[in-house]
Amino acid sequence: MQELNSSVYFYAKNKLMQRRQFGKKMATALLAGSLINPGSVFAKGTQSKYKKVVKPAKLKPGDTIGLITPGSYISDEGLEKAVKNVESLGFKVKLSKNIRARRGFNAGTDLERLLDLHTMFVDKEVAGIWCARGGYGCTRLLPYIDYNLIKKHPKALIGYSDITALLNAIYLKTDLVGFHGPVGASELTDYTKENFLAVLVEGKASHVIQLSENNKTNEDTAYHARQIRYGKVEGRLIGGNLSLLASMSGTEWEPDYKDTITFIEDVGEKPYRIDRMLTQLSQTGNFKEAAALALGIFNDCGAPKEEDSLSLDETINGYLSELTLPSFYGLSFGHIKDQCTLPVGIMAELDTRLQTLTLMEEAVETKD
């Protein structure tokens, strides 16, 4: 394992150094006017239902789960909770080497976080990788990830919020299915555990994701589910946190939204910021070519009473009415307690009338 760690370390370090040199050369080339068609590097693939995806092995009781922090630093209390959560589900825990590292708001340097990510993918002892928390920092890693290494060692990568960047970039570059679900330190409610186990352990096909009963009875208007435009649509699942998806717009890691069921959520953003990010998505890439939009819970995204602003509902309804896509607000995912697990890259069916999202295939390899 020491040789393995050394190999992964030197690859990651060289990748960072090469990228810095590339950046200098790119800047020089731009100044010289030698880049005639830089947009050609952002070619998109296809989201056809016939697309072949790479599915990780399903998780089994007794498997070892690797905990990493690819974004922000995690507190002692948060890490303790993550460990207990993993063990409560019947798994063993392995902490990444640098999980206690810290550099300002990040969980260590880019190199340390990258090393932990790579090491967990190649570690034969580790069956799946669970991000202990989200927080800012994952987009910083995207240029330096060894996507070929990940494709050779496919494993379930689980998390949400800032982990959106890793899930979508890895799927785009390797076709590996990732899992938008709770982070290790999340509160694992009965609803959250049921959906997590159904997708990653039981490997259910035709798993129907219904609204959480707790969410349906929540008095907060942010939890009020509603059909915006009717549709019963099939497509591959793509998406995650709106802020992260907007930050990836115009980069080579921007998701291919064409013909997908795009799912989005956010937390703590004012309505005008929601509008700005949706506008950014629509003005870059092919966001408007999605088959349908599935919105989660936009928690704490209302307009303060003292501000002259549209409400969250007015912002979302007004914007989505212009896209004329089947769309639904209020599915049980996001920065909330009851959240389902959504496999990025898997075919699904959204029924806006029945308020359900059905996974049409297994998200994991179920062969023993």
Side-chain angles (χ1 to χ4, degrees):
M1 179 56 91
Q2 185 174 358
E3 292 182 3
L4 178 63
N5 284 340
S6 297
S7 175
V8 173
Y9 172 81
F10 284 114
Y11 173 86
K13 186 174 182 180
N14 288 336
K15 189 81 170 177
L16 282 162
M17 293 177 64
Q18 290 170 9
R19 191 68 185 187
R20 292 188 184 113
Q21 291 299 318
F22 174 78
K24 292 178 182 178
K25 293 178 181 178
M26 180 71 78
T28 302
L30 283 169
L31 289 172
S34 60
L35 291 178
I36 304 300
N37 187 24
S40 62
V41 299
F42 302 140
K44 297 294 184 181
T46 174
Q47 296 297 337
S48 163
K49 65 180 179 179
Y50 303 109
K51 175 184 175 71
K52 186 176 181 180
V53 298
V54 178
K55 298 179 182 180
K58 73 173 183 177
L59 302 180
K60 303 184 294 296
D63 277 348
T64 296
I65 301 299
L67 281 177
I68 64 173
T69 46
S72 290
Y73 174 79
I74 189 169
S75 66
D76 292 340
E77 294 78 11
L79 182 57
E80 182 180 357
K81 185 176 182 180
V83 170
K84 288 182 177 179
N85 278 342
V86 174
E87 293 176 339
S88 73
L89 295 175
F91 303 120
K92 300 174 185 176
V93 180
K94 185 168 187 176
L95 301 181
S96 60
K97 178 182 178 181
N98 299 299
I99 201 165
R100 303 308 298 140
R102 185 171 191 175
R103 182 178 182 272
F105 42 74
N106 286 140
T109 64
D110 291 351
L111 180 58
E112 287 172 325
R113 302 195 319 280
L114 183 66
L115 175 63
D116 283 356
L117 178 69
H118 286 163
T119 300
M120 285 300 184
F121 268 104
V122 299
D123 189 337
K124 294 182 179 180
E125 183 183 359
V126 173
I129 306 167
W130 204 346
C131 299
R133 69 156 297 181
Y136 172 71
C138 291
T139 52
R140 294 179 58 88
L141 304 183
L142 300 187
Y144 315 120
I145 292 174
D146 186 346
Y147 295 99
N148 288 328
L149 177 148
I150 291 176
K151 190 163 188 175
K152 291 177 182 177
H153 305 275
K155 294 178 183 178
L157 177 65
I158 310 154
Y160 78 112
S161 194
D162 211 66
I163 313 304
T164 293
L166 298 180
L167 298 176
N168 285 277
I170 289 174
Y171 171 68
L172 182 69
K173 297 291 187 179
T174 71
D175 296 324
L176 175 63
V177 173
F179 299 87
H180 183 279
V183 292
S186 292
E187 181 174 341
L188 297 186
T189 65
D190 289 342
Y191 178 90
T192 301
K193 286 191 289 187
E194 177 186 341
N195 281 276
F196 180 95
L197 294 173
V199 173
L200 281 152
V201 177
E202 300 168 32
K204 286 184 177 180
S206 301
H207 173 56
V208 180
I209 297 172
Q210 300 180 341
L211 303 187
S212 155
E213 291 299 322
N214 290 331
N215 291 348
K216 285 196 286 187
T217 57
N218 195 311
E219 294 182 359
D220 187 339
T221 56
Y223 287 77
H224 293 176
R226 61 188 183 280
Q227 174 180 279
I228 299 174
R229 182 177 293 273
Y230 171 76
K232 185 176 181 181
V233 184
E234 294 181 8
R236 293 198 178 276
L237 287 172
I238 288 292
N241 181 260
L242 175 59
S243 297
L244 269 295
L245 295 175
S247 72
M248 297 165 73
S249 294
T251 73
E252 64 176 285
W253 303 281
E254 179 181 19
D256 179 6
Y257 298 104
K258 184 177 174 59
D259 299 328
T260 66
I261 296 176
T262 298
F263 62 93
I264 54 177
E265 61 82 31
D266 220 314
V267 62
E269 298 287 356
K270 295 180 180 180
Y272 82 87
R273 293 176 181 170
I274 300 294
D275 181 84
R276 181 178 64 197
M277 289 184 284
L278 288 171
T279 299
Q280 183 177 3
L281 285 178
S282 296
Q283 292 178 351
T284 61
N286 55 5
F287 181 74
K288 290 182 178 180
E289 297 180 51
L293 294 178
L295 283 70
I297 307 298
F298 281 62
N299 196 17
D300 191 28
C301 289
K305 293 181 180 180
E306 65 275 12
E307 289 190 6
D308 185 13
S309 170
L310 294 176
S311 68
L312 175 64
D313 285 356
E314 290 171 329
T315 300
I316 289 176
N317 290 347
Y319 192 87
L320 296 187
S321 65
E322 298 177 3
L323 294 183
T324 67
L325 299 175
S327 50
F328 183 86
Y329 175 89
L331 291 175
S332 299
F333 68 91
H335 288 70
I336 55 176
K337 291 182 179 179
D338 283 356
Q339 53 179 300
C340 60
T341 296
L342 300 172
V344 173
I346 290 299
M347 287 295 296
E349 179 188 79
L350 176 68
D351 191 319
T352 62
R353 182 178 62 83
L354 296 180
Q355 303 184 347
T356 59
L357 183 69
T358 303
L359 306 185
M360 300 178 65
E361 56 180 322
E362 300 94 340
V364 291
E365 290 290 350
T366 57
K367 297 178 181 178
D368 294 327

